[in-house]
């Protein structure tokens, strides 16, 4: 490998360096290589590091030494209109001409060869369109490679025959391509083939990356069309990596305030009577405020301070009663029962007193000890001891200690009566529903009231504040929630008051759509995050694919192709123009560009004033033909090959000068390679017969189809050769018929031979006697290097020609009934043919 290419490679991406190394080492890369190269592309490149590598040497392709020849095409089934019963055999010589009139099958054979060789632009081979569609189309193609015959049963439109890919085929379509289109040279040096391989691998890697990238399909849900006029919709559909983060964040967030605002707007839009709704909101607020007030009042009565005060009252009442109870001991002498002074006893005492002064002994102090008084409980008469006992007990009850104890107990009882009344659970639920509270808030309120009930019950018995568990502060946060709800209902009520005066429903509806769209995109937050990740991956793939671009490879290949291909290609084109007599045509072969490592060339007009003019539109039909032929030969003669040339009507549209030059060039080509020429021009047969000794075949259209090989028409043969064939073949057969079947069978054969002798004699007059200066049906008179041959004509020659033509013209006319002319016998015909051949050879050899 040249140092310049190595230097260039060491400046490339690591994947390209590795690709070059593997191509040069292995030749063809497999799927594992492709996978490895994709990983190298995706790997980060260490910045500032240049990798110096050694590469295997580019080996020049071995010169193809195989000698390939086309031998025959036969057994044609259902291809075009071809239906030959015999194979078309091209013979052993290097130069073969296949002659046939229009519609005889020439183009069908050329189409078969183009398709079988895999030539670009080869048309599909159709069956006979006037017959039912066949089940199979095929033919037998036999070729010779290095002296070994290889028959191939080829299925039409199937895979090309690999060995025949090197055949070079020229027809109107392939010739036009050099002028109308850019073409790529057939021969590519090893260095440029290497760059072409790099391009192929690049395209393969790009395709792999494309496939992987395509698998990263967009999974973002489609936003509903009803949001299409919102800013959120625009942000969502325009999502990209370049978008401001704040915009993306906005469509991926959703706050409680926005949720409430959406609900509020929806409610306002649904409201028919805003004033009634305002009243409803305020009624709800009243319910909430009542719940707050009752709860706060209850909480105030069971807070730590209130609980402590009530417990202190219980402690005081208990202590006062203890002291009063101690004073009962002073009455121990008169007390006959236990429990005097306790609460039950005192209750009984005060009940008895109330009964005495209100019913038994009205307006008399208690106890009534006057006269024969009775006990108000048992109604027994009171003796003096009983009276003294009652008097002492009354003094005890109405004493200071008892009074203090009673006052303390009364204060305690009154405080207990002030403890909060716990609402009925059903009543609480109804109040919560009226306040439109959530189940969670309702449950919190029920929990708080149950805890208040527990505290109230405990306050009836406990003596220490430590025995009472206070309500958790967290639960009391519900009061703040209730206050917020109260305020919100008031705010809504105020809003409805304002709405009743002025409310833009269109603006509100638009705002609702904006909020709904934002809520929808918030619900797609995960999908949005996934889409952003996907976009990042797509950008990565874009970068990776960009690194597989072929522009740099093509540029370098273009530099090399200028040296290795273009100059030599153009030189060959100019040589071919000269050989074909077309050097005066103002055309040139130009390298137009390098695409994917391949140099493109095209034939263009020289010295144009007006640009963008197609060459084919300016040149005549004949000029187009000769220039395209020169371009074709310049191209295909640049490669190393010993494969056949195939030409389909190469001199079509050419004048005599171009025809002669073209035939000379074809004969020259046949010195080293097989040249097969398909033509319908008799003049071509005449000229090529004069310059070489080709194998001339004839094909024709028969009732069963076209392409049938047969005898070359007599007007297409060399006169002397045709005469010898007439003598040795047809006359010999006629002699046998005469001997075996008699005159009747012999007559038509002999008459046909006489007619052909006359035709061949006329051809001799045209091509030999008159030196081909003038021919029937040819428009021009050709004098160049020919007129001097007319000097050879002598009087005796004229007499001989006149004699033979006159003699054999008689068999072309109606015969006199009195003096009919009999057809000559075989010996007479043999003698005349020998005389003509003898004269012909002597005349041609005459100085």
């Amino acid at each position: 490998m040249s140092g310049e290419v190595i230097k260039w490679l060491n400046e490339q991406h690591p994947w390209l360096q590795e690709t070059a190394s593997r191509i040069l080492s292995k030749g063809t890369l497999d799927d594992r290589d492709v996978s490895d190269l994709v990983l190298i592309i995706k790997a980060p490149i260490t910045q500032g590091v240049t990798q110096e590598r050694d590469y295997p040497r580019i080996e020049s392709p071995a010169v193809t030494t195989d000698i390939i020849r086309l031998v025959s095409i036969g057994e044609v089934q259902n291809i075009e209109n071809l239906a030959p019963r015999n194979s078309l055999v091209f013979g052993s010589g290097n130069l073969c001409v296949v002659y046939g009139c229009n519609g005889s099958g020439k183009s069908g054979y050329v189409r078969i060869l183009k398709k079988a060789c895999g030539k670009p632009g080869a048309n599909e081979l159709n069956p006979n369109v006037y017959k039912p569609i066949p089940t199979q189309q095929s033919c037998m193609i036999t070729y010779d490679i290095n002296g070994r015959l290889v028959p191939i049963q080829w299925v039409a439109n199937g895979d090309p025959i690999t060995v025949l890919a090197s055949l070079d085929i020229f027809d109107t379509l392939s010739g036009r391509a050099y002028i109308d289109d850019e073409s790529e040279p057939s021969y590519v040096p090893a260095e440029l083939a290497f760059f072409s391989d790099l391009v192929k691998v690049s395209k393969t890697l790009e395709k792999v990356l494309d496939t992987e990238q395509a698998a990263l399909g967009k999974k973002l849900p489609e936003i509903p069309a009803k949001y299409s006029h919102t800013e959120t919709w625009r942000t969502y559909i325009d999502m990209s990596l370049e978008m401001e983060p704040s915009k993306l964040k906005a469509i991926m967030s959703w706050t409680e305030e926005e949720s409430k605002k959406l609900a509020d707007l929806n409610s306002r839009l649904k409201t028919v009577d805003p004033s009634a709704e305002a009243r409803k909101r305020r009624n709800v607020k009243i319910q909430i405020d009542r719940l707050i007030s009752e709860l706060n009042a209850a909480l105030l009565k069971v807070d730590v301070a209130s609980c402590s005060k009530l417990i202190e009252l219980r402690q005081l009442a208990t202590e006062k009663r203890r002291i009063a109870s101690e004073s009962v001991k002073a009455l121990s002498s008169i007390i006959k029962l236990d429990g005097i002074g306790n609460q039950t006893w005192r209750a009984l005492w005060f009940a008895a007193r109330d009964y005495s002064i209100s019913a038994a002994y009205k307006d008399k102090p208690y106890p009534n000890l006057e006269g024969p008084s009775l006990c108000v409980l048992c109604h027994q008469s009171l003796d003096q001891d009983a009276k003294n006992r009652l008097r002492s007990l009354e003094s005890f009850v109405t004493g200071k200690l008892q009074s203090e104890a009673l006052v303390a107990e009364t204060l305690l009882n009154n405080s207990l009566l002030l403890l909060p009344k716990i609402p009925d659970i059903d009543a609480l639920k109804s109040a919560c529903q009226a306040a439109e509270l959530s189940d969670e808030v309702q449950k919190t309120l029920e929990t708080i009231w149950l805890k208040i009930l527990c505290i109230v019950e405990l306050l009836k018995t406990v003596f220490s504040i430590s025995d009472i568990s206070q309500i958790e502060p967290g639960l009391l946060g519900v009061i703040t929630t209730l206050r917020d709800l109260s305020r919100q209902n008031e705010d809504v009520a105020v809003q409805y008051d304002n709405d009743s005066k002025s409310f833009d429903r269109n603006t509100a509806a638009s705002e609702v759509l904006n909020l709904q769209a934002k809520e929808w995109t918030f619900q797609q937050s995960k999908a949005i995050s996934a889409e952003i990740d996907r976009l990042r991956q797509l950008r990565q793939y874009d970068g990776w694919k960009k690194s597989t671009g072929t522009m740099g490879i093509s540029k370098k290949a273009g530099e090399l192709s200028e040296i290795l291909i273009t100059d030599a290609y153009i030189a060959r084109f100019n040589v071919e123009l000269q050989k074909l007599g077309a050097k005066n045509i103002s055309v040139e072969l130009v390298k137009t560009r390098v695409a994917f490592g391949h140099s493109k060339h095209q034939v263009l007009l020289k010295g144009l004033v007006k640009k963008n003019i197609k060459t084919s539109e300016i040149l005549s039909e004949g000029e187009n033909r000769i220039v395209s032929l020169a371009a074709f030969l310049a191209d295909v003669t640049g490669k190393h090959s010993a494969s056949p040339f195939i030409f389909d009507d190469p001199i079509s549209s050419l004048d005599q000068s171009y025809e002669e030059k073209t035939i000379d060039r074809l004969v020259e080509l046949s010195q080293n390679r097989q040249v097969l020429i398909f033509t319908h021009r008799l003049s071509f047969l005449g000229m090529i017969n004069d310059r070489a000794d080709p194998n001339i075949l004839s094909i024709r259209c028969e009732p069963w189809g076209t392409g049938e090989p047969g005898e070359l028409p007599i007007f297409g043969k060399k006169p002397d050769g045709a005469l010898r064939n007439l003598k040795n073949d047809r006359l010999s057969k006629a002699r046998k018929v005469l001997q075996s079947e008699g005159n009747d069978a012999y007559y038509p054969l002999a008459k046909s031979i006489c007619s052909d002798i006359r035709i061949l004699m006329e051809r001799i007059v045209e091509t030999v006697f008159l030196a081909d200066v003038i021919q029937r049906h040819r428009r021009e008179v050709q004098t160049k290097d020919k007129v001097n041959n007319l000097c050879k004509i002598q009087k005796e020659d004229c007499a001989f020609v006149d004699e033979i033509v006159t003699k054999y013209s008689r068999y072309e006319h109606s015969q006199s009934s009195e003096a009919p002319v009999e057809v000559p016998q075989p010996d007479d015909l043999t003698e005349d043919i020998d005389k003509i051949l003898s004269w012909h050879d002597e005349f041609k050899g005459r100085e």
Side-chain angles (χ1 to χ4, degrees):
M1 178 183 292
S2 69
E4 181 183 356
V5 176
I6 292 176
K7 179 182 178 183
W8 177 82
L9 279 173
N10 283 331
E11 295 171 351
Q12 304 309 305
H13 193 289
W15 79 261
L16 188 56
Q17 298 175 348
E18 182 63 22
T19 300
S21 181
R22 295 194 185 197
I23 288 175
L24 295 172
S25 299
K26 299 177 59 177
T28 303
L29 304 190
D30 55 25
D31 292 341
R32 178 64 180 272
D33 293 312
V34 171
S35 299
D36 292 344
L37 293 172
V38 168
L39 292 176
I40 294 174
I41 290 174
K42 293 180 178 180
I45 302 175
T46 305
Q47 298 297 322
V49 176
T50 299
Q51 186 176 9
E52 298 291 342
R53 303 178 63 148
D54 293 325
Y55 299 93
R57 182 173 177 272
I58 297 179
E59 297 292 341
S60 297
V63 176
T64 303
T65 58
D66 291 334
I67 299 175
I68 301 171
R69 298 176 55 84
L70 278 174
V71 176
S72 65
I73 300 176
E75 301 179 21
V76 182
Q77 298 182 37
N78 304 310
I79 299 178
E80 306 289 335
N81 195 29
L82 295 172
R85 294 178 177 176
N86 297 287
S87 297
L88 182 63
V89 181
F90 301 113
S92 58
N94 268 6
L95 184 59
C96 177
V97 179
V98 180
Y99 168 82
C101 299
N102 290 330
S104 60
K106 301 187 303 299
S107 296
Y109 283 117
V110 175
R111 291 190 190 110
I112 287 176
L113 290 173
K114 286 190 72 171
K115 196 68 177 177
C117 296
K119 295 302 178 184
N123 295 324
E124 289 289 299
L125 298 175
N126 297 310
N128 190 328
V129 296
Y130 299 105
K131 294 182 178 181
I133 298 176
T135 57
Q136 182 178 357
Q137 293 176 270
S138 64
C139 65
M140 177 69 74
I141 299 176
T142 302
Y143 63 88
D144 180 307
I145 179 167
N146 301 323
R148 180 172 59 90
L149 287 180
V150 180
I152 298 288
Q153 187 72 33
W154 181 68
V155 177
N157 303 315
D159 293 334
I161 301 172
T162 305
V163 175
L164 301 184
S166 60
L167 270 65
D168 296 311
I169 301 177
F170 176 85
D171 60 4
T172 299
L173 182 62
S174 60
R176 285 279 186 182
Y178 288 96
I179 296 179
D180 290 339
D181 305 313
E182 295 173 319
S183 62
E184 182 181 339
S186 299
Y187 170 68
V188 179
E191 291 86 345
L192 292 179
F194 164 70
F195 276 86
S196 296
D197 290 340
L198 288 181
V199 168
K200 289 177 184 176
V201 175
S202 299
K203 303 306 288 184
T204 299
L205 295 175
E206 183 182 23
K207 187 176 180 180
V208 170
L209 293 171
D210 264 333
T211 302
E212 291 182 1
Q213 189 177 31
L216 299 173
K218 187 175 182 180
K219 297 180 181 178
L220 196 64
E222 186 174 352
I223 187 170
K226 64 180 180 180
Y227 303 138
S228 60
H229 297 294
T230 66
E231 184 63 28
T232 298
W233 181 87
R234 173 56 57 189
T235 302
Y236 188 81
I237 65 170
D238 289 344
M239 197 181 306
S240 68
L241 296 178
E242 289 72 26
M243 183 171 284
E244 294 179 10
S246 58
K247 284 190 174 183
L248 281 175
K249 184 178 180 181
I251 66 172
M252 295 173 68
S253 64
W254 182 250
T255 64
E256 185 65 27
E257 289 75 15
E258 288 171 324
S259 181
K260 291 177 180 177
K261 184 176 182 180
L262 176 59
D264 173 60
L265 286 171
N266 278 323
S267 178
R268 290 167 64 191
L269 286 169
K270 293 177 183 177
T271 301
V272 178
D273 186 355
S275 297
E277 191 62 30
R279 290 192 294 273
K280 181 179 178 181
R281 290 300 99 205
R282 288 195 171 92
N283 287 336
V284 171
K285 179 182 184 304
I286 290 171
Q287 294 295 331
I288 295 173
D289 290 344
R290 183 177 292 130
L291 287 170
I292 295 172
S293 176
E294 290 175 354
L295 184 58
N296 278 333
L299 290 171
L300 189 62
K301 292 177 181 179
V302 296
D303 62 7
V304 174
S306 297
C307 290
S308 298
K309 184 176 180 181
L310 197 147
I311 289 172
E312 289 173 0
L313 288 175
R314 174 169 286 107
Q315 292 172 345
L316 178 63
T318 301
E319 180 63 20
K320 292 292 185 181
R321 178 53 57 197
R322 185 188 64 77
I323 294 173
S325 297
E326 287 292 328
S327 66
V328 176
K329 295 179 179 179
L331 302 174
S332 59
S333 59
I334 61 174
I335 292 173
K336 298 188 179 207
L337 296 172
D338 294 331
I340 298 300
N342 65 22
Q343 187 173 359
T344 303
W345 181 85
R346 283 185 292 108
L348 177 64
W349 182 268
F350 287 123
R353 175 189 288 172
D354 289 341
Y355 170 71
S356 176
I357 62 178
S358 62
Y361 301 106
K362 291 181 180 180
D363 300 328
K364 289 185 178 181
Y366 179 81
N368 179 24
L369 301 178
E370 294 179 359
S373 56
L374 301 175
C375 175
V376 294
L377 296 178
C378 64
H379 296 183
Q380 292 184 3
S381 297
L382 297 173
D383 57 17
Q384 191 58 43
D385 288 340
K387 288 181 179 181
N388 292 335
R389 191 179 300 111
L390 286 174
R391 186 179 293 111
S392 297
L393 290 173
E394 176 65 12
S395 296
F396 165 73
V397 170
T398 58
K400 180 179 179 182
L401 292 177
Q402 288 295 331
S403 177
E404 288 179 352
L406 183 61
V407 169
E409 289 172 345
T410 301
L411 184 59
L412 173 63
N413 290 331
N414 289 339
S415 296
L416 289 173
L417 291 174
L418 293 176
L419 285 173
K421 306 298 181 190
I422 309 303
D424 178 78
I425 189 67
D426 291 334
L428 179 60
K429 288 182 177 180
S430 296
C432 289
Q433 291 173 355
E436 297 182 355
L437 300 181
S438 66
D439 292 343
E440 182 181 358
V441 172
Q442 180 178 322
K443 288 180 180 179
T444 302
L445 288 175
E446 290 175 1
T447 301
I448 292 175
W449 278 112
L450 285 175
K451 289 186 176 292
I452 292 174
L453 175 61
C454 290
I455 294 173
V456 168
E457 293 302 320
L458 287 172
L459 285 174
K460 293 178 181 179
T461 58
V462 299
F463 285 87
S464 173
I465 191 65
S466 62
D467 293 333
I468 298 175
S469 299
Q470 292 297 314
I471 300 171
E472 296 90 337
L475 289 173
L476 298 179
V478 73
I479 296 176
T480 301
T481 300
L482 291 171
R483 286 172 179 161
D484 290 341
L485 291 172
S486 174
R487 184 175 60 257
Q488 289 170 12
N489 275 276
E490 177 59 25
D491 292 342
V492 172
V494 171
Q495 183 64 61
Y496 278 122
D497 286 339
N498 294 333
D499 290 350
S500 65
K501 299 173 184 176
S502 61
F503 178 45
D504 188 342
R505 303 185 72 84
N506 290 332
T507 301
S510 177
E511 192 170 357
V512 164
L513 275 178
N514 276 315
L515 287 169
Q516 287 176 336
K518 194 169 185 295
E519 183 181 30
W520 186 90
T521 55
F522 166 69
Q523 294 167 354
Q524 317 306 321
S525 294
K526 288 185 178 179
I528 292 174
S529 297
E531 175 64 9
I532 295 300
D533 290 340
R534 187 184 78 90
L535 292 175
R536 290 194 185 97
Q537 287 181 291
L538 290 178
R539 177 169 289 182
Q540 274 188 314
Y541 272 99
D542 287 339
W544 293 333
K545 289 196 297 182
K546 185 177 181 181
S547 73
T548 66
T550 58
M551 183 179 294
I553 301 173
S554 294
K555 182 179 178 182
K556 193 63 183 177
E559 295 173 2
L560 291 174
S561 71
E562 193 72 35
I563 302 169
L564 301 174
I565 289 182
T566 301
D567 293 343
Y569 190 7
I570 292 173
R572 289 196 304 273
F573 175 70
N574 293 330
V575 169
E576 292 296 339
L577 282 179
Q578 185 168 3
K579 286 184 176 182
L580 295 173
K583 64 179 181 179
N584 60 319
I585 302 176
S586 295
V587 292
E588 59 183 340
L589 183 66
V590 177
K591 187 182 81 172
T592 52
R593 63 193 174 98
V594 177
F596 306 123
H598 297 268
S599 298
K600 302 291 184 179
H601 295 76
Q602 188 173 7
V603 175
L604 301 176
L605 295 166
K606 290 194 294 187
L608 285 180
V609 176
K610 185 177 181 181
K611 302 299 182 182
N612 300 322
I613 300 296
K614 285 187 176 181
T615 303
S616 60
E617 294 175 352
I618 301 302
L619 299 183
S620 68
E621 187 67 25
E623 288 175 328
N624 269 302
R625 189 69 167 186
I626 201 68
V627 169
S628 64
L629 183 59
F632 168 77
L633 292 174
D635 179 15
V636 299
T637 55
K639 63 182 180 180
H640 305 287
S641 175
S643 299
F645 283 115
I646 299 168
F647 295 91
D648 183 17
D649 266 334
I651 63 169
S652 175
S653 304
L654 300 183
D655 60 22
Q656 179 191 353
S657 176
Y658 287 147
E659 282 186 16
E660 292 178 350
K661 293 291 187 180
T662 299
I663 291 171
D664 289 340
R665 185 68 178 111
L666 296 178
V667 171
E668 181 183 357
L669 292 172
S670 70
Q671 302 303 311
N672 301 309
R673 292 166 63 174
Q674 184 186 30
V675 177
L676 304 181
I677 306 165
F678 291 82
T679 184
H680 70 285
R681 297 278 291 272
L682 281 174
S683 60
F684 181 88
L685 293 182
M687 283 188 282
I688 202 164
N689 268 322
D690 289 340
R691 289 163 170 78
D693 187 21
N695 178 32
I696 299 180
L697 308 176
S698 175
I699 58 174
R700 58 180 178 268
C701 177
E702 295 287 0
W704 55 83
T706 64
E708 184 66 50
E711 184 72 20
L712 185 68
I714 195 168
F715 47 77
K717 297 180 180 180
K718 283 185 177 182
D720 55 339
L723 282 169
R724 291 184 175 90
N725 179 261
L726 199 64
K727 170 186 171 183
N728 299 327
D729 185 18
R730 289 171 57 192
L731 183 54
S732 177
K733 292 178 181 177
R735 187 188 298 274
K736 292 178 182 178
V737 169
L738 176 61
Q739 294 171 354
S740 61
E741 301 180 33
N743 281 304
D744 287 343
Y746 170 72
Y747 176 82
L749 299 177
K751 188 174 185 305
S752 174
I753 292 172
C754 290
S755 179
D756 285 349
I757 289 174
R758 178 181 181 275
I759 292 171
L760 290 171
M761 195 61 199
E762 290 175 353
R763 290 284 293 147
I764 288 174
V765 169
E766 291 176 340
T767 60
V768 179
F769 192 61
L770 297 179
D772 197 35
V773 174
I774 298 174
Q775 284 193 29
R776 288 171 295 175
H777 311 301
R778 188 170 69 191
R779 294 180 179 179
E780 70 275 6
V781 176
Q782 298 178 0
T783 60
K784 185 178 180 182
D785 298 328
K786 295 180 179 182
V787 174
N788 60 327
N789 287 318
L790 298 177
C791 297
K792 297 192 296 183
I793 300 175
Q794 299 176 8
K795 184 177 180 181
E796 291 79 7
D797 299 321
C798 296
F800 175 76
V801 170
D802 185 57
E803 175 191 350
I804 295 298
V805 173
T806 300
K807 178 179 179 179
Y808 283 93
S809 294
R810 292 180 299 173
Y811 305 108
E812 298 296 312
H813 303 294
S814 174
Q815 301 297 316
S816 169
S817 58
E818 296 183 359
V821 178
E822 297 292 338
V823 294
Q825 293 298 301
D827 290 341
D828 296 331
L829 291 172
T830 300
E831 182 181 352
D832 284 345
I833 291 173
D834 287 340
K835 285 168 60 176
I836 296 171
L837 287 172
S838 178
W839 174 84
H840 174 276
D841 294 341
E842 186 277 328
F843 186 85
K844 284 197 69 174
R846 201 180 290 175
E847 289 293 335

